[in-house]
Amino acid sequence: MNYKIKDLSLANDGKKQIEWAEMHMPTLLEIRKRFEAEKPLKGVNISAVLHVTKETAALVKTLKMGGAEVALAASNPLSTQDEVAAALVTEGISVFAWRGESESEYYNNIESIVKIHEPHIVMDDGADLHAFVHEKMSSELKVFGGTEETTTGVIRLRAMEKQGVLKYPVIAVNNAYTKYLFDNRYGTGQSAIDGIIRATNILLAGKVAVVAGYGWVGRGIANRLRGLGARVIVTEVDPIRALEAVMDGFDVMPISEASRIGDIFVTATGNTKVIRVEHMLNMKNGAILANAGHFNVEIDVKGLKESAVSVRNIRPYVDEYVLQNGKKIYLLAEGRLVNLAAAEGHPSEVMDMSFANQALAVEYLVKNKGKLQNKVYNMPIELDYEVARIKLKSIGVQIDELTEEQKGYLEQWKSGT
Amino acid sequence: MNYKIKDLSLANDGKKQIEWAEMHMPTLLEIRKRFEAEKPLKGVNISAVLHVTKETAALVKTLKMGGAEVALAASNPLSTQDEVAAALVTEGISVFAWRGESESEYYNNIESIVKIHEPHIVMDDGADLHAFVHEKMSSELKVFGGTEETTTGVIRLRAMEKQGVLKYPVIAVNNAYTKYLFDNRYGTGQSAIDGIIRATNILLAGKVAVVAGYGWVGRGIANRLRGLGARVIVTEVDPIRALEAVMDGFDVMPISEASRIGDIFVTATGNTKVIRVEHMLNMKNGAILANAGHFNVEIDVKGLKESAVSVRNIRPYVDEYVLQNGKKIYLLAEGRLVNLAAAEGHPSEVMDMSFANQALAVEYLVKNKGKLQNKVYNMPIELDYEVARIKLKSIGVQIDELTEEQKGYLEQWKSGT
Amino acid sequence: MNYKIKDLSLANDGKKQIEWAEMHMPTLLEIRKRFEAEKPLKGVNISAVLHVTKETAALVKTLKMGGAEVALAASNPLSTQDEVAAALVTEGISVFAWRGESESEYYNNIESIVKIHEPHIVMDDGADLHAFVHEKMSSELKVFGGTEETTTGVIRLRAMEKQGVLKYPVIAVNNAYTKYLFDNRYGTGQSAIDGIIRATNILLAGKVAVVAGYGWVGRGIANRLRGLGARVIVTEVDPIRALEAVMDGFDVMPISEASRIGDIFVTATGNTKVIRVEHMLNMKNGAILANAGHFNVEIDVKGLKESAVSVRNIRPYVDEYVLQNGKKIYLLAEGRLVNLAAAEGHPSEVMDMSFANQALAVEYLVKNKGKLQNKVYNMPIELDYEVARIKLKSIGVQIDELTEEQKGYLEQWKSGT
Amino acid sequence: MNYKIKDLSLANDGKKQIEWAEMHMPTLLEIRKRFEAEKPLKGVNISAVLHVTKETAALVKTLKMGGAEVALAASNPLSTQDEVAAALVTEGISVFAWRGESESEYYNNIESIVKIHEPHIVMDDGADLHAFVHEKMSSELKVFGGTEETTTGVIRLRAMEKQGVLKYPVIAVNNAYTKYLFDNRYGTGQSAIDGIIRATNILLAGKVAVVAGYGWVGRGIANRLRGLGARVIVTEVDPIRALEAVMDGFDVMPISEASRIGDIFVTATGNTKVIRVEHMLNMKNGAILANAGHFNVEIDVKGLKESAVSVRNIRPYVDEYVLQNGKKIYLLAEGRLVNLAAAEGHPSEVMDMSFANQALAVEYLVKNKGKLQNKVYNMPIELDYEVARIKLKSIGVQIDELTEEQKGYLEQWKSGT
């Protein structure tokens, strides 16, 4: 087996981490039990680009127990947990990932996982692997299906579909209700703030926090910041979302205004250059900048570096930039995903649902091989419900069931007031 | 002109109420200004079944200023504001509605508004009028379009569409983002609790409140109850919504369990017999029951009446039922919509958006007469955004705009990490 | 028996109201049961100035069942519930109170209740009665003790004590933990907002609300406004309270600034002219003003009346003032306590605790007649705990008890890390 | 100079940490500026037992700049930041502290700082140093004053005062409003949860969290847990606090019941053996236990160790105990203060206020040398206000001032309704 990781001797630590994660991922483990018995992925090669964390390990082990061969690279140069990578190698997974990859190493690793075997399924988080397969690989692809974990990746894949260049069907795992309603909101909501606090140890109570973007990630972060005592300002480009933020009790204004009064700024838009040097020059001395969006483009780090008078690292994940106006601003984790870089990423409990969807999506692609078009498909709703049902059961929550009379009531339209 | 109301001499009071509402409905007034100039509804007869409130008056006046003839009946026997009905008559609207209609009066009034003129557009809130038109009217309908305001009504209309019996295109105004994300959640959320407090004057802090249903209405109510200090239990039949309620920090359990520990119960499911006598027998002495769903079927009032030992009215909108086990339970507003019966219904500010959508939906149906199929259509998204933009402007909130670079970024899929 | 009320024929309605209140006042009823058996107040004349509400009725009935003779007047010209006054008369209480008293009627009624019998105990809410007794009554007072219900009243009484003019011992019932931590915060918090919503029916979600004062009442109101979706600004004169408000996530600024951006203003300071004409001239068109403090002096109503161009009543409890700059502002309940004037005052559940304290305070004064000095006393802590224990039991909440080892631990100082 | 620390070469890292802290401690820095100019502590020897963190460094440097000689030991064996200790030594402070002291090392270090110089002022956090000075030192003490930082320590000192053994006046810095209302509630509230998340990375949304104790620390933690989506149960022994927790919307029950349903347990009572083995045996498999109280006695760790079948460390600060019933429970940070052991302790912003009080308390003791009795004094209120005023100014918040008319109003008692 081929692999490239930091240090194989970390495997024992990694195993305990994975054990800890699995204890909090009962849904995936329930699916694993079935996979182990039924081997539905037998003979399937999977190339996966995902954050190499203890939760991903639980997924990859599940796929393997289901019969698949898996090769894994990182979806972010800073997010790999090296001890987990080591543990996975001892489990027979071809891992090419380590914390702190350079940009060329990052792309080399992606290349490695599609060279080591001919992938049948491509699993991605951000669509860099999908883009690579489409741009760099020869036309005789064996790939018969893909999955995508993020909003950002789905947007890219829909653009590919629209341009007619998509070469295989892709399940937008991100669009499963049991994924985006939970992972993005509760998972990133908590872990982004965890990253900010670990990096800075600042008190959130009494601070003015600016959240750029009021999608599921943004509203998760805004709510958690409020839950910790901050006064929260939201910036948006979408008038409906802006109105929701207003009705949710947040202050809404353009970033040009918000930049003057914020103490902390968190981007979660999925777009580029949301906070630019012109805004940074408005900011208070001591302002803190963090990104919770998938790519490190939301804060204009390049512009900041070019225009700053000086830079120094003051604490792990905290760089101090002195601007030309003499004010100091603090950039966390170089503008990369703050929850993965400065903390441990999503808690296992939400990845449990996201990755239960991934496992079921892969099984679905195998079962429906040849029956799907080269399009982006939403997660089949019955699988989505399956995940919810297993999750509720695993945490001991019971719910009601419709009576026959109630089922009938929902289907008729004649009786009224 | 024909009309049937309680007392025309209340018109002056009604006018002041409408003035107060219009002050809080800037979006609708902006549209009215244009309607008055362009007269897009000239020659159109509209038959409308809506709650006859000060906000509906603002809508109906807008339609009339746009050129339409309007006949109006009530969508609930208990929700009419008699002084508003009077004021509308003096404005030239044919109103058939009063507070406290009997069931036969209710249906007679619906009949009156389709007899007084041949309707071209049918506007409804709950689909009783749509059902009436489909069941009772001759085949040579002049109706070329309809609108529907509620979730419940849209479910009924989709059932009609599915059965192939729908006779004209209907715009599901309820499904506009600027309607259901706001009206159902913030509007009913606040006003249902307002109704409960007006009826009972109980302290919510420290109470255990049970909310049946975690749709937009249910989550609005659950959040407001929590915001007022109650401990909230949610019941659901949908596992995904149940999981959301859990993650939002609510306790989730079946109604059979919740019935034992709740102090207050509020239904918001859109379904029938959600709280049954078997549950009431579980309840604590003094338990309070209210309904926030469209129809008075969610609490089994009939079953309660049949099984109770005695009934008396103890305060306006509060009936005391003594059960066979000797315990007393208190039913608010006879199980009808508590926010409309015991309070004033939705605040003007949310009806502003809902009714701006109604006005634009009617204009759209007129403009697209003959081009639409006999289906239920979602509100066109560009009109939805138009409502949001006017609303934001009217409350003085500015938002960001995408830069050209950002627009480009959202359309491309190649650049990554 | 002597009395002066609106209409004795309302007594039946009043009795049902009192029954409803008593159902939510289990603590007071527990004490009543003992009073009825022990008659600790036999031969004691009590003159009481309190809001004449269904909850006060439950207290007054309890005192009477304990053996006292009670004469009752209103502590606010607008807060009397006439049906309750009627019911109390039929129970043998000398009531002098009706809704809508003039200022001279208000003081005449106070005079009546000290003339109808020679009071031994003076029970007050705001200290108007205490002031009257001190200023207007002859020196041979029979009064041997008093109680006071409000923060405002306690401040006045402490001023009297400081000036050496206090003529009898007073128990500051307001200062009982089971009073001010609950009544002021949760009771006024909810009911003040109830009053505002009943008067205006505005949507709180998305509004900017300004709360003047961050004492227990102010923080109750600020939290409830936030719980209903408003963005809340706090104004304060005390730097420590201001800092708490900041850390609680509120925006804090001077009223001169807040007046420019608020949609709703609520005063809760206990001080005079907190919102002045100079601030009103800053306000947005349509701004709403309400008072939740004891006296109608917090908003400068007199200044407003003098400087306004015109005034009209637009809805019950809502007066529209057109200012000289053309803008309209809306004053609720003439600047009087909005929760009592426009709604029903505190919910029974908090009055249960406050009035349980009143009952125990009166009993304490009788038991300790002649042993106390002419000072303002805090509520004895053991009575305070007694109220808490009965309340918890009555709502079915069990708590832990210290083990012997734990009691010992709290008393020693030697063992450490 | 004498000192005993881990590694002097860490000093540069420590200096950056202190710089970061000082940036968030503007109140203390304002006082430092004055101390540097006035040297009010000239010739004063201070022995201090405090958590050796970057914030404490900012205080100790301030005292030194004010003219004092300072010797410092740790108030907890696990809370020392070694790089900060190193930096302080280079600043001329005699530090005796390192992370991971044994119990005997802990007491030896305390002994060292009272031997290295004859202390005039004793500054403590938990009262171990005060106890040591009283128990172990000869009678000719030079100490003329002390300060105490914690609730726990003040309780011990009051016990000493009550027993008549206190040998010098102590300022209860903990009792300053600008300390306990902020540090305990917002500081521990955030940092305890930070510690739990760093140790476990669990998702709080949807979890059942049990908080033992509803003092300022407990309510801070309960609120933050709720703000992060947990459902929170409170346990208490005090009925008034229990009632507050109920009214704040929390579920309240005895620990014997709560232990059956909680996922996470946090103790904050200041008492001993609050969670005992009998409760642990009730717990769900996977339950997590953390302590936020000053001493490691709240969870019965000794009992747990004795009765457990096996123990292993699974992640840093997470020990897995297998109970005799086969269930696994997870103890964080060995039951020590989770915010200091597993995270960085209080954020600088709250320590800013606490330590501004410490600095002013020391100055007050020096100024009033010989004038105070051997008692526990509350922090003088004017110093408390001084801290609040400087803090507000430093974060740019302006507040109102009383007008002359308002000052007069508060002092009179005659005018009423």
Side-chain angles (χ1 to χ4, degrees), chain D residues 289-290 299 301 304 317-321 329-335:
Chain D
L289 277 66
I299 298 167
V301 178
L304 172 59
Y317 307 110
V318 184
D319 291 329
E320 178 186 271
Y321 288 83
I329 66 171
Y330 295 88
L331 177 67
L332 307 192
E334 303 172 22

Side-chain angles (χ1 to χ4, degrees), chain C residues 319-338:
Chain C
D319 292 328
E320 177 186 272
Y321 288 83
V322 181
L323 303 182
Q324 287 176 334
N325 60 15
K327 285 193 256 179
K328 296 171 181 174
I329 66 171
Y330 295 88
L331 178 67
L332 307 191
E334 304 172 21
R336 293 182 184 275
L337 265 177
V338 73

Side-chain angles (χ1 to χ4, degrees), chain C residues 332-354:
Chain C
L332 307 191
E334 304 172 21
R336 293 182 184 275
L337 265 177
V338 73
N339 62 337
L340 276 154
E344 285 185 69
H346 288 317
S348 308
E349 291 89 339
V350 289
M351 296 317 297
D352 184 31
M353 288 192 275
S354 303

Side-chain angles (χ1 to χ4, degrees), chain B residues 16-17 19-20 23-24 54-55 186-187 190 194 197-205 207 223-224 226-229 286 288 312-316 318 320 328 330 344-350, chain C residues 16-17 19-20 23-24 54-55 186-187 190 194 197-205 207 223-224 226-229 286 288 312-316 318 320 328 330 344-350:
Chain B
K16 285 202 284 186
Q17 292 285 358
E19 193 182 340
W20 180 251
M23 198 179 321
H24 299 98
K54 58 191 186 303
E55 292 80 16
Y186 309 107
Q190 175 178 308
D194 181 20
I197 294 179
R198 289 198 207 196
T200 65
N201 205 42
I202 57 164
L203 181 73
L204 290 173
K207 288 286 190 310
N223 268 298
R224 291 321 180 214
R226 175 146 70 185
L228 286 161
I288 291 168
R312 65 166 176 158
N313 180 268
I314 191 158
R315 278 166 59 102
V318 183
E320 177 186 272
K328 297 171 181 174
Y330 295 88
E344 286 184 68
H346 288 319
S348 308
E349 291 89 338
V350 289
Chain C
K16 285 202 284 185
Q17 292 286 356
E19 194 182 338
W20 180 251
M23 198 180 319
H24 298 98
K54 57 192 187 304
E55 291 80 17
Y186 309 106
Q190 175 179 305
D194 181 20
I197 293 179
R198 289 199 206 195
T200 64
N201 205 41
I202 57 164
L203 181 73
L204 289 174
K207 289 286 189 309
N223 267 299
R224 292 320 181 214
R226 174 145 72 184
L228 287 160
I288 290 168
R312 65 167 177 157
N313 180 267
I314 191 157
R315 276 166 62 100
V318 184
E320 177 186 272
K328 296 171 181 174
Y330 295 88
E344 285 185 69
H346 288 317
S348 308
E349 291 89 339
V350 289

